[in-house]
Every structure is written in structure tokens, then in C-alpha cells.
Amino acid sequence: MSDPRYPVGKFTWPAHVTADDRTVWIRSLAETPSLLRAAVAGLSDSRLDTPYREGGWTLRQVVHHLPESHMNAYIRFKLALTEEEPVIKPYDEAGWALLGDIPLTPVETSLTLVDALHQRWVILLTTLPEADWKKTFRHPDIGVVTLEKNLALYDWHSRHHVAHITSTRQRMGW
């Protein structure tokens, strides 16, 4: 890995998405909670407070970021499924990572939140008819995003942040 910011590589929007792609990405979202739990298993508070790279978030911040980001994604899916190309609200991820709840909340709280959220999200995703995958939302900074491409993003996002933790553990010999 040459750049610790992108342990699974940088995200690129897929040019074309197939039903098989979606199946793989949904499976990835279903597996994320257990992979995240395994990634942090046995880590002490001092290790959780270790940045994954110089100037980067701590492992604790990464764990708490996952449900925050994925809750936003889940809501964006619901909005796109029930409204005509809704404009979604971005949020300041870095600012959220600095809020007072992050160092005080046990990582187990966010692990439990990811468990429940991903269970609901995967159920929703497996019920979507083919036409719904083309539904869109408008992100003020990115533009129009289809649900199937947003699924690709969150498959990557899940693997990306779990790898921040696992690559740190490997690098540090934990």
C-alpha cells in the first residue's frame, strides 16, 4: 500500500452497473458489521486512539464515522425512493469526527449501530425492483447520483474504512 489514505485504492464511479455487481456490493454491506467488529476486536483504548496515518483520524474516529456516514447514505436511499430527485444535504464529516461524543462513546455503541443499520439497509436493498436502481438524488457537490452508483460508493466506503483499521493493526504488529 503506497498511500495509507486509500488502503483499497481510490473510489471511481462505475461506468456501467450490472445486477451481479449489485449483488456483490449488497453482500459486502451485509458483511461489513462483522468485518468491522473483527477489525477492532481486542483493541485497547490507547490503540483505538491511534491515528491510522500521520494527521489522520484515530481508529476510534473511523469506527464512529462508519454509522454516521452510512446513516446518511441509508436516508439518501429512502429519499430517492420516495421523492423525485431530492437534493440531499452534505455534512461536515471531519467536523463530526471532532465532536465531544466521539472520544466518550464506547466503540461498541457504534458497532451495534452498524449491525442494526446494515441489517435494515440490506433488507431494503434486496427488495428493490430493477427500475428503482436508476432512481436518483442530487448531491450539491457531486451532482446527480443513481442508487446503484451510490451502492458502489458505499461498498467501497465500507472496505476503505475497515482497511484503515486492519492495515494499521498489521503495520503496528497488533
Side-chain angles (χ1 to χ4, degrees), residues 41 43-44 46-51 59 165 168-174:
L43 290 178
S44 65
S46 64
R47 288 181 175 176
L48 287 167
D49 291 330
T50 302
L59 302 186
I165 299 166
T168 300
R169 289 187 79 144
Q170 183 177 25
R171 188 178 70 255
M172 302 295 275
W174 299 340

Side-chain angles (χ1 to χ4, degrees), residues 108-167:
E108 180 58 35
T109 302
S110 284
L111 295 172
T112 300
L113 190 52
V114 169
D115 288 340
L117 176 62
H118 278 237
Q119 183 179 24
R120 285 283 307 272
W121 199 4
V122 167
I123 291 169
L124 172 67
L125 296 174
T126 59
T127 67
L128 295 183
E130 187 67 28
D132 281 355
W133 288 106
K134 302 298 184 195
K135 290 188 174 186
T136 60
F137 60 80
R138 181 174 295 276
H139 189 292
D141 300 327
I142 298 170
V144 176
V145 179
T146 64
L147 291 184
E148 64 187 5
K149 289 189 177 184
N150 203 44
L151 176 62
L153 173 62
Y154 279 88
D155 158 63
W156 172 86
H157 189 261
S158 297
R159 293 180 295 106
H160 169 72
H161 284 306
V162 169
H164 280 143
I165 299 166
T166 58
S167 64

Side-chain angles (χ1 to χ4, degrees), residues 34-103:
S34 62
L35 293 174
L36 182 60
R37 279 186 179 281
V40 299
L43 290 178
S44 65
D45 281 338
S46 64
R47 288 181 175 176
L48 287 167
D49 291 330
T50 302
Y52 74 88
R53 66 174 176 87
E54 188 175 330
W57 284 349
T58 66
L59 302 186
R60 181 183 312 277
Q61 287 171 309
V62 171
V63 171
H64 291 315
H65 165 71
L66 255 292
E68 292 174 345
S69 176
H70 292 198
M71 282 187 289
N72 275 283
Y74 176 73
I75 290 166
R76 290 169 183 176
F77 267 82
K78 291 266 190 160
L79 289 169
L81 290 166
T82 59
E83 300 176 18
E84 186 66 31
E85 199 171 286
V87 177
I88 59 93
K89 184 178 184 329
Y91 70 102
D92 179 1
E93 297 175 349
W96 285 30
L98 297 174
L99 293 174
D101 62 322
I102 299 300

